[in-house]
Coordinates of all heavy atoms in Angstrom, one line a residue:
M391 N -24.9 1.5 -12.5 CA -26.2 1.0 -12.3 C -26.2 -0.3 -11.5 O -25.3 -1.1 -11.6 CB -26.8 0.7 -13.7 CG -28.1 0.1 -13.7 SD -28.9 0.1 -15.3 CE -30.1 1.3 -15.1
I392 N -27.2 -0.5 -10.7 CA -27.3 -1.6 -9.8 C -27.8 -2.8 -10.6 O -28.8 -2.8 -11.3 CB -28.2 -1.3 -8.6 CG1 -27.7 -0.2 -7.8 CG2 -28.4 -2.6 -7.8 CD1 -28.6 0.3 -6.7
N393 N -27.0 -3.9 -10.4 CA -27.4 -5.2 -11.1 C -28.5 -5.8 -10.3 O -28.5 -5.8 -9.0 CB -26.1 -6.1 -11.0 CG -26.3 -7.4 -11.7 OD1 -27.4 -7.9 -11.7 ND2 -25.3 -8.0 -12.2
D394 N -29.5 -6.3 -10.9 CA -30.6 -7.0 -10.3 C -30.2 -8.1 -9.4 O -30.9 -8.4 -8.4 CB -31.7 -7.5 -11.3 CG -32.4 -6.3 -12.0 OD1 -32.4 -5.2 -11.4 OD2 -33.0 -6.6 -13.0
K395 N -29.1 -8.7 -9.6 CA -28.7 -9.9 -8.9 C -27.6 -9.5 -7.8 O -27.2 -10.4 -7.1 CB -28.0 -10.9 -9.8 CG -29.1 -11.5 -10.7 CD -28.5 -12.5 -11.6 CE -29.5 -13.1 -12.6 NZ -29.0 -14.1 -13.5
S396 N -27.3 -8.2 -7.7 CA -26.3 -7.8 -6.6 C -27.0 -7.8 -5.3 O -28.2 -7.6 -5.1 CB -25.7 -6.5 -7.0 OG -26.7 -5.5 -6.8
N397 N -26.2 -8.0 -4.3 CA -26.7 -8.0 -2.9 C -25.6 -7.6 -1.9 O -24.4 -7.6 -2.3 CB -27.3 -9.3 -2.5 CG -26.3 -10.5 -2.5 OD1 -25.3 -10.5 -1.8 ND2 -26.5 -11.4 -3.4
I398 N -26.0 -7.2 -0.8 CA -25.1 -6.8 0.3 C -25.6 -7.6 1.5 O -26.7 -8.0 1.6 CB -25.0 -5.3 0.6 CG1 -26.3 -4.7 1.0 CG2 -24.4 -4.6 -0.7 CD1 -26.2 -3.4 1.6
H399 N -24.7 -7.7 2.5 CA -25.1 -8.3 3.8 C -24.8 -7.4 4.9 O -23.7 -6.9 5.0 CB -24.3 -9.6 3.9 CG -24.5 -10.6 2.9 ND1 -25.6 -11.5 2.9 CD2 -23.8 -10.9 1.8 CE1 -25.5 -12.2 1.8 NE2 -24.5 -11.9 1.1
I400 N -25.8 -7.2 5.7 CA -25.6 -6.4 7.0 C -25.4 -7.4 8.1 O -26.3 -8.2 8.4 CB -26.8 -5.5 7.2 CG1 -27.0 -4.5 6.1 CG2 -26.7 -4.8 8.6 CD1 -28.2 -3.6 6.2
Q401 N -24.2 -7.5 8.6 CA -23.8 -8.4 9.6 C -24.4 -7.9 11.0 O -24.6 -6.7 11.1 CB -22.3 -8.5 9.7 CG -21.6 -8.8 8.4 CD -21.7 -10.2 8.0 OE1 -21.9 -11.1 8.9 NE2 -21.6 -10.5 6.8
G402 N -24.6 -8.8 11.9 CA -25.1 -8.4 13.2 C -24.3 -7.4 13.9 O -24.8 -6.5 14.5
W403 N -22.9 -7.6 13.8 CA -22.0 -6.6 14.5 C -22.1 -5.2 13.9 O -21.8 -4.3 14.6 CB -20.6 -7.2 14.5 CG -20.0 -7.4 13.2 CD1 -20.0 -8.6 12.5 CD2 -19.4 -6.5 12.3 NE1 -19.4 -8.4 11.2 CE2 -19.0 -7.1 11.1 CE3 -19.0 -5.1 12.5 CZ2 -18.3 -6.5 10.1 CZ3 -18.4 -4.5 11.4 CH2 -18.0 -5.2 10.2
M404 N -22.5 -5.1 12.7 CA -22.6 -3.8 12.1 C -23.7 -3.0 12.7 O -23.6 -1.7 12.7 CB -22.9 -3.9 10.6 CG -21.7 -4.5 9.8 SD -22.2 -4.6 8.1 CE -20.8 -5.4 7.3
M405 N -24.7 -3.6 13.2 CA -25.8 -2.9 13.9 C -25.4 -2.2 15.2 O -26.1 -1.3 15.6 CB -27.0 -3.9 14.2 CG -27.5 -4.7 13.0 SD -28.3 -3.6 11.8 CE -29.8 -3.2 12.7
K406 N -24.3 -2.6 15.7 CA -23.8 -2.0 17.0 C -22.8 -0.9 16.7 O -22.2 -0.4 17.7 CB -23.1 -3.1 17.8 CG -24.1 -4.2 18.2 CD -23.4 -5.3 18.9 CE -24.4 -6.5 19.1 NZ -23.7 -7.6 19.7
L407 N -22.6 -0.4 15.5 CA -21.6 0.6 15.2 C -22.1 2.0 15.4 O -21.4 3.0 15.3 CB -21.2 0.5 13.7 CG -20.4 -0.8 13.4 CD1 -20.1 -0.9 11.9 CD2 -19.1 -0.9 14.2
G408 N -23.4 2.2 15.7 CA -24.0 3.5 16.0 C -24.2 4.3 14.7 O -24.2 5.5 14.8
L409 N -24.5 3.6 13.6 CA -24.7 4.3 12.3 C -26.2 4.4 12.1 O -27.0 3.5 12.5 CB -24.1 3.5 11.2 CG -22.6 3.2 11.3 CD1 -22.1 2.3 10.2 CD2 -21.8 4.5 11.3
N410 N -26.6 5.5 11.4 CA -28.0 5.5 11.0 C -28.2 4.6 9.8 O -27.2 4.0 9.3 CB -28.5 7.0 10.7 CG -27.8 7.6 9.5 OD1 -27.5 6.9 8.5 ND2 -27.6 8.9 9.5
L411 N -29.4 4.4 9.3 CA -29.7 3.5 8.3 C -28.9 3.7 7.0 O -28.4 2.8 6.4 CB -31.2 3.4 8.0 CG -31.7 2.4 7.0 CD1 -31.3 1.0 7.5 CD2 -33.2 2.4 6.9
T412 N -28.8 5.0 6.6 CA -28.1 5.3 5.3 C -26.6 5.0 5.5 O -26.0 4.5 4.6 CB -28.4 6.7 4.9 OG1 -29.8 7.0 4.8 CG2 -27.8 7.0 3.5
E413 N -26.1 5.4 6.6 CA -24.6 5.2 6.9 C -24.4 3.7 6.9 O -23.4 3.2 6.3 CB -24.2 5.8 8.2 CG -24.3 7.3 8.2 CD -24.3 7.9 9.6 OE1 -24.4 7.2 10.6 OE2 -24.2 9.2 9.6
L414 N -25.3 2.9 7.5 CA -25.1 1.5 7.6 C -25.2 0.9 6.2 O -24.4 0.0 5.9 CB -26.2 0.9 8.5 CG -26.2 -0.6 8.7 CD1 -24.9 -1.1 9.3 CD2 -27.4 -1.0 9.5
M415 N -26.1 1.3 5.4 CA -26.2 0.8 4.0 C -24.9 1.0 3.2 O -24.5 0.1 2.5 CB -27.4 1.5 3.3 CG -27.7 1.0 2.0 SD -28.4 -0.6 2.1 CE -29.5 -0.5 0.7
I416 N -24.4 2.2 3.3 CA -23.1 2.5 2.6 C -22.0 1.7 3.2 O -21.2 1.1 2.4 CB -22.8 4.0 2.7 CG1 -23.8 4.8 1.7 CG2 -21.4 4.3 2.3 CD1 -23.7 6.3 1.7
Y417 N -21.9 1.6 4.5 CA -20.8 0.8 5.1 C -20.9 -0.7 4.7 O -19.9 -1.3 4.3 CB -20.8 1.0 6.6 CG -19.7 0.1 7.3 CD1 -18.4 0.5 7.2 CD2 -20.0 -1.0 7.9 CE1 -17.4 -0.2 7.7 CE2 -19.0 -1.8 8.5 CZ -17.7 -1.4 8.4 OH -16.7 -2.1 9.0
A418 N -22.1 -1.2 4.7 CA -22.3 -2.6 4.4 C -22.0 -2.9 2.9 O -21.5 -3.9 2.6 CB -23.8 -3.0 4.7
T419 N -22.4 -1.9 2.1 CA -22.1 -2.0 0.6 C -20.6 -2.1 0.4 O -20.0 -3.0 -0.3 CB -22.7 -0.9 -0.2 OG1 -24.1 -0.8 0.0 CG2 -22.4 -1.0 -1.7
I420 N -19.8 -1.2 1.0 CA -18.4 -1.2 0.9 C -17.8 -2.5 1.5 O -17.0 -3.1 0.8 CB -17.8 0.1 1.6 CG1 -18.2 1.3 0.9 CG2 -16.3 -0.1 1.8 CD1 -17.9 2.6 1.7
Y421 N -18.3 -2.9 2.6 CA -17.8 -4.1 3.3 C -18.0 -5.3 2.4 O -17.2 -6.2 2.2 CB -18.4 -4.3 4.6 CG -17.8 -5.4 5.4 CD1 -16.7 -5.2 6.2 CD2 -18.4 -6.7 5.4 CE1 -16.1 -6.3 6.9 CE2 -17.9 -7.7 6.1 CZ -16.7 -7.5 6.8 OH -16.2 -8.6 7.5
S422 N -19.2 -5.4 1.8 CA -19.6 -6.5 1.0 C -18.7 -6.6 -0.2 O -18.4 -7.7 -0.7 CB -21.1 -6.5 0.6 OG -21.9 -6.6 1.7
F423 N -18.4 -5.5 -0.8 CA -17.6 -5.5 -2.0 C -16.1 -5.7 -1.7 O -15.3 -6.0 -2.6 CB -17.8 -4.2 -2.8 CG -19.0 -4.3 -3.7 CD1 -20.2 -3.8 -3.2 CD2 -19.0 -4.8 -5.0 CE1 -21.4 -3.9 -4.0 CE2 -20.1 -4.9 -5.7 CZ -21.3 -4.4 -5.2
T424 N -15.6 -5.4 -0.5 CA -14.2 -5.6 -0.2 C -13.9 -6.8 0.6 O -12.7 -7.3 0.5 CB -13.7 -4.4 0.7 OG1 -14.4 -4.3 1.9 CG2 -13.9 -3.1 -0.1
N425 N -14.8 -7.4 1.2 CA -14.6 -8.6 2.0 C -14.3 -9.8 1.0 O -15.0 -10.1 0.1 CB -15.8 -9.0 2.8 CG -15.5 -10.0 3.9 OD1 -14.4 -10.2 4.3 ND2 -16.5 -10.7 4.3
G426 N -13.1 -10.4 1.2 CA -12.7 -11.5 0.4 C -11.8 -11.1 -0.8 O -11.3 -11.9 -1.5
T427 N -11.6 -9.8 -0.9 CA -10.6 -9.4 -1.9 C -9.2 -9.3 -1.3 O -9.1 -9.1 -0.1 CB -11.0 -8.0 -2.5 OG1 -11.0 -7.0 -1.5 CG2 -12.3 -8.0 -3.2
S428 N -8.2 -9.5 -2.1 CA -6.8 -9.5 -1.5 C -6.4 -8.2 -0.9 O -5.7 -8.2 0.1 CB -5.9 -10.0 -2.6 OG -5.8 -9.0 -3.6
D429 N -6.8 -7.1 -1.4 CA -6.4 -5.8 -0.9 C -7.4 -5.1 -0.1 O -7.2 -4.0 0.4 CB -5.9 -4.9 -2.0 CG -6.9 -4.7 -3.1 OD1 -8.1 -5.1 -3.0 OD2 -6.6 -4.0 -4.1
H430 N -8.6 -5.6 0.0 CA -9.7 -5.0 0.8 C -10.1 -3.6 0.3 O -10.4 -2.8 1.1 CB -9.4 -5.0 2.3 CG -9.2 -6.4 2.8 ND1 -10.2 -7.3 3.0 CD2 -8.1 -7.0 3.2 CE1 -9.7 -8.4 3.5 NE2 -8.4 -8.3 3.6
C431 N -10.0 -3.4 -1.0 CA -10.3 -2.0 -1.6 C -11.6 -2.1 -2.3 O -11.9 -3.0 -3.1 CB -9.2 -1.6 -2.5 SG -7.7 -1.1 -1.7
Y432 N -12.4 -1.1 -2.0 CA -13.7 -0.9 -2.8 C -13.4 -0.1 -4.0 O -12.8 1.0 -3.9 CB -14.7 -0.2 -1.9 CG -16.0 0.3 -2.6 CD1 -16.9 -0.7 -3.0 CD2 -16.2 1.6 -3.0 CE1 -18.1 -0.3 -3.6 CE2 -17.3 2.0 -3.6 CZ -18.3 1.0 -4.0 OH -19.4 1.4 -4.7
R433 N -13.7 -0.6 -5.1 CA -13.4 0.0 -6.4 C -14.7 0.6 -7.1 O -14.6 1.0 -8.3 CB -12.7 -0.9 -7.3 CG -11.3 -1.2 -6.8 CD -10.5 -2.1 -7.8 NE -9.1 -2.1 -7.4 CZ -8.7 -2.9 -6.4 NH1 -9.5 -3.6 -5.7 NH2 -7.4 -2.9 -6.0
G434 N -15.7 0.7 -6.4 CA -16.9 1.2 -6.9 C -16.9 2.7 -6.8 O -16.0 3.3 -6.3
S435 N -17.9 3.4 -7.3 CA -18.0 4.8 -7.3 C -18.9 5.4 -6.2 O -19.8 4.6 -5.7 CB -18.5 5.3 -8.7 OG -19.9 4.9 -8.8
A436 N -18.7 6.6 -5.9 CA -19.6 7.3 -5.0 C -21.0 7.4 -5.6 O -22.0 7.3 -4.9 CB -19.1 8.7 -4.7
M437 N -21.1 7.5 -6.9 CA -22.4 7.5 -7.6 C -23.1 6.2 -7.4 O -24.3 6.2 -7.1 CB -22.2 7.7 -9.1 CG -23.5 8.0 -9.8 SD -23.3 8.6 -11.5 CE -22.6 7.2 -12.3
Y438 N -22.4 5.0 -7.4 CA -23.0 3.7 -7.2 C -23.5 3.7 -5.7 O -24.6 3.2 -5.5 CB -22.0 2.6 -7.4 CG -22.6 1.2 -7.1 CD1 -23.4 0.6 -8.1 CD2 -22.4 0.6 -5.9 CE1 -24.0 -0.6 -7.8 CE2 -23.0 -0.6 -5.7 CZ -23.8 -1.2 -6.6 OH -24.4 -2.5 -6.3
L439 N -22.7 4.1 -4.8 CA -23.1 4.1 -3.4 C -24.4 5.0 -3.2 O -25.3 4.6 -2.4 CB -22.0 4.6 -2.5 CG -20.8 3.7 -2.3 CD1 -19.7 4.4 -1.6 CD2 -21.1 2.4 -1.7
G440 N -24.4 6.1 -3.8 CA -25.6 7.0 -3.8 C -26.8 6.3 -4.4 O -27.9 6.4 -3.8
E441 N -26.6 5.7 -5.5 CA -27.7 5.0 -6.2 C -28.3 3.9 -5.3 O -29.5 3.7 -5.1 CB -27.2 4.4 -7.5 CG -28.3 4.0 -8.5 CD -27.6 3.6 -9.8 OE1 -26.9 4.4 -10.4 OE2 -27.9 2.5 -10.2
R442 N -27.4 3.1 -4.7 CA -27.7 2.0 -3.8 C -28.5 2.5 -2.6 O -29.4 1.9 -2.1 CB -26.5 1.2 -3.4 CG -26.5 0.3 -2.3 CD -27.1 -1.0 -2.6 NE -26.3 -1.9 -3.4 CZ -26.6 -3.1 -3.7 NH1 -27.8 -3.6 -3.3 NH2 -25.9 -3.9 -4.5
S443 N -28.1 3.6 -2.1 CA -28.6 4.2 -0.8 C -29.7 5.2 -1.1 O -30.3 5.7 -0.2 CB -27.5 4.8 0.0 OG -26.5 3.9 0.2
Q444 N -29.9 5.5 -2.4 CA -30.9 6.5 -2.8 C -30.7 7.9 -2.2 O -31.6 8.6 -1.6 CB -32.3 6.0 -2.5 CG -32.7 4.8 -3.2 CD -34.1 4.3 -3.0 OE1 -34.8 4.8 -2.1 NE2 -34.5 3.3 -3.7
I445 N -29.4 8.3 -2.2 CA -29.0 9.7 -1.8 C -28.1 10.3 -2.8 O -27.6 9.6 -3.7 CB -28.3 9.6 -0.4 CG1 -27.0 8.8 -0.5 CG2 -29.2 9.1 0.7 CD1 -26.2 8.9 0.8
Q446 N -27.9 11.6 -2.7 CA -27.1 12.3 -3.6 C -25.6 12.1 -3.4 O -25.2 11.8 -2.2 CB -27.4 13.8 -3.6 CG -28.8 14.2 -4.0 CD -29.0 15.7 -4.0 OE1 -28.2 16.4 -3.5 NE2 -30.2 16.1 -4.4
K447 N -24.8 12.3 -4.4 CA -23.4 12.0 -4.3 C -22.7 12.8 -3.2 O -21.9 12.3 -2.5 CB -22.7 12.3 -5.7 CG -21.4 11.7 -5.9 CD -21.0 11.7 -7.3 CE -19.8 12.5 -7.6 NZ -19.4 12.5 -9.0
R448 N -23.1 14.1 -3.0 CA -22.5 14.9 -2.0 C -22.8 14.3 -0.6 O -22.0 14.5 0.3 CB -22.9 16.4 -2.1 CG -24.3 16.7 -1.8 CD -24.5 18.2 -1.9 NE -25.9 18.5 -1.6 CZ -26.8 18.9 -2.5 NH1 -26.4 19.1 -3.7 NH2 -28.0 19.2 -2.1
S449 N -24.0 13.7 -0.4 CA -24.3 13.1 0.8 C -23.4 11.9 1.1 O -23.0 11.6 2.2 CB -25.8 12.7 0.9 OG -26.6 13.9 0.9
V450 N -23.1 11.2 0.0 CA -22.2 10.0 0.1 C -20.9 10.4 0.6 O -20.3 9.8 1.5 CB -22.1 9.3 -1.3 CG1 -21.0 8.2 -1.2 CG2 -23.4 8.7 -1.7
Y451 N -20.3 11.5 0.1 CA -19.0 12.0 0.5 C -19.1 12.4 2.0 O -18.1 12.2 2.7 CB -18.5 13.2 -0.4 CG -18.1 12.7 -1.7 CD1 -18.7 13.1 -2.9 CD2 -17.0 11.8 -1.8 CE1 -18.2 12.7 -4.1 CE2 -16.5 11.4 -3.1 CZ -17.2 11.9 -4.2 OH -16.7 11.4 -5.4
R452 N -20.2 13.0 2.4 CA -20.3 13.4 3.8 C -20.3 12.1 4.7 O -19.6 12.1 5.7 CB -21.6 14.2 4.0 CG -21.8 14.6 5.4 CD -23.2 15.4 5.6 NE -24.3 14.7 5.1 CZ -24.9 13.6 5.6 NH1 -24.5 13.1 6.7 NH2 -26.0 13.0 5.0
I453 N -21.0 11.1 4.3 CA -21.0 9.8 5.0 C -19.7 9.2 5.0 O -19.2 8.6 6.0 CB -22.1 8.9 4.5 CG1 -23.5 9.5 4.9 CG2 -22.0 7.5 5.0 CD1 -24.7 8.9 4.2
L454 N -19.0 9.2 3.9 CA -17.6 8.6 3.8 C -16.7 9.3 4.8 O -15.9 8.6 5.4 CB -17.1 8.6 2.4 CG -17.8 7.7 1.4 CD1 -17.2 8.0 0.0 CD2 -17.7 6.3 1.7
N455 N -16.8 10.6 4.9 CA -16.0 11.3 5.8 C -16.3 10.9 7.3 O -15.4 10.7 8.1 CB -16.2 12.9 5.7 CG -15.5 13.4 4.5 OD1 -14.5 12.9 4.1 ND2 -16.1 14.5 3.9
K456 N -17.6 10.7 7.6 CA -17.9 10.3 8.9 C -17.4 8.9 9.2 O -16.9 8.6 10.3 CB -19.5 10.3 9.1 CG -19.9 10.0 10.4 CD -21.4 10.1 10.6 CE -21.9 9.8 12.0 NZ -23.3 9.9 12.2
L457 N -17.5 8.0 8.2 CA -17.0 6.6 8.4 C -15.5 6.6 8.6 O -15.0 5.8 9.4 CB -17.4 5.7 7.2 CG -18.9 5.5 7.0 CD1 -19.2 4.7 5.8 CD2 -19.5 4.7 8.3
E458 N -14.8 7.5 7.9 CA -13.4 7.6 8.0 C -13.0 8.1 9.4 O -12.1 7.6 10.1 CB -12.8 8.4 6.9 CG -11.3 8.4 6.9 CD -10.8 9.2 5.7 OE1 -11.4 10.2 5.2 OE2 -9.7 8.9 5.2
K459 N -13.7 9.1 9.9 CA -13.4 9.7 11.2 C -13.7 8.7 12.3 O -13.0 8.7 13.3 CB -14.3 11.0 11.4 CG -13.8 12.2 10.7 CD -14.6 13.4 10.9 CE -14.1 14.5 10.0 NZ -15.0 15.7 10.1
K460 N -14.6 7.8 12.1 CA -14.9 6.8 13.1 C -13.9 5.6 13.0 O -14.0 4.7 13.8 CB -16.3 6.2 12.9 CG -17.4 7.1 13.4 CD -18.8 6.4 13.3 CE -19.7 7.0 14.3 NZ -20.6 6.1 14.9
G461 N -13.0 5.6 12.0 CA -12.1 4.6 11.8 C -12.6 3.3 11.2 O -12.0 2.3 11.3
L462 N -13.8 3.4 10.6 CA -14.4 2.2 9.9 C -13.9 2.0 8.5 O -13.9 0.8 8.0 CB -15.9 2.4 9.9 CG -16.6 2.5 11.3 CD1 -18.1 2.8 11.2 CD2 -16.4 1.2 12.0
I463 N -13.4 3.0 7.9 CA -12.8 2.9 6.5 C -11.6 3.7 6.4 O -11.4 4.7 7.2 CB -13.8 3.3 5.4 CG1 -14.2 4.8 5.5 CG2 -15.1 2.4 5.4 CD1 -14.9 5.3 4.3
Q464 N -10.8 3.4 5.5 CA -9.6 4.3 5.1 C -9.8 4.6 3.6 O -10.1 3.7 2.8 CB -8.3 3.5 5.2 CG -7.9 3.3 6.7 CD -6.6 2.5 6.8 OE1 -6.2 1.9 5.8 NE2 -6.0 2.6 7.9
R465 N -9.7 5.9 3.3 CA -10.0 6.3 1.9 C -8.7 6.5 1.2 O -7.8 7.1 1.7 CB -10.9 7.5 1.9 CG -12.3 7.2 2.3 CD -13.2 8.3 2.2 NE -12.9 9.5 1.6 CZ -13.6 10.6 1.6 NH1 -14.8 10.5 2.1 NH2 -13.3 11.7 1.0
K466 N -8.7 6.1 0.0 CA -7.7 6.4 -1.0 C -8.4 6.6 -2.3 O -8.9 5.6 -3.0 CB -6.7 5.2 -1.1 CG -5.6 5.4 -2.1 CD -4.5 4.4 -2.1 CE -5.1 3.0 -2.5 NZ -4.0 2.0 -2.6
E467 N -8.7 7.8 -2.6 CA -9.5 8.1 -3.8 C -8.7 8.2 -5.1 O -7.6 8.5 -5.1 CB -10.2 9.5 -3.6 CG -11.2 9.5 -2.4 CD -11.9 10.8 -2.3 OE1 -12.1 11.5 -3.3 OE2 -12.1 11.2 -1.1
R468 N -9.4 7.8 -6.1 CA -8.8 8.0 -7.5 C -9.9 8.6 -8.3 O -11.1 8.3 -8.2 CB -8.2 6.7 -8.0 CG -9.3 5.7 -8.3 CD -8.6 4.4 -8.7 NE -9.8 3.5 -8.9 CZ -9.9 2.7 -9.9 NH1 -9.0 2.7 -10.9 NH2 -11.0 2.0 -10.1
Y469 N -9.5 9.5 -9.2 CA -10.4 10.2 -10.0 C -10.3 9.8 -11.5 O -9.2 9.7 -12.0 CB -10.2 11.8 -9.9 CG -10.5 12.3 -8.6 CD1 -9.4 12.5 -7.6 CD2 -11.8 12.6 -8.1 CE1 -9.7 12.9 -6.4 CE2 -12.0 13.0 -6.9 CZ -11.0 13.2 -6.0 OH -11.2 13.6 -4.7
I470 N -11.4 9.5 -12.1 CA -11.4 9.0 -13.5 C -12.3 9.9 -14.2 O -13.4 10.3 -13.7 CB -11.9 7.6 -13.5 CG1 -11.0 6.6 -12.7 CG2 -12.0 7.1 -15.0 CD1 -11.5 5.2 -12.6
N471 N -11.9 10.3 -15.4 CA -12.7 11.2 -16.3 C -14.1 10.8 -16.3 O -14.6 9.8 -16.8 CB -12.2 11.3 -17.7 CG -10.8 12.0 -17.7 OD1 -10.4 12.5 -16.7 ND2 -10.2 12.0 -18.8

């Protein structure tokens, strides 16, 4: 669930990545949660990304695949019950 006080930042350089609005929202969310961490890993869920972007989980996975193919993210998934 999204915290009322949570926020993300869309940096100016992100606007030049050629992403559509939903892709940009997911990328900015991941970037905001990993920037400043020692290992630069996003530990949130695909469900959270979908909730934040108002899309279904399967669409999140499609976008994550696209971001990975563009070299913008590296995925290392872990599955939890």
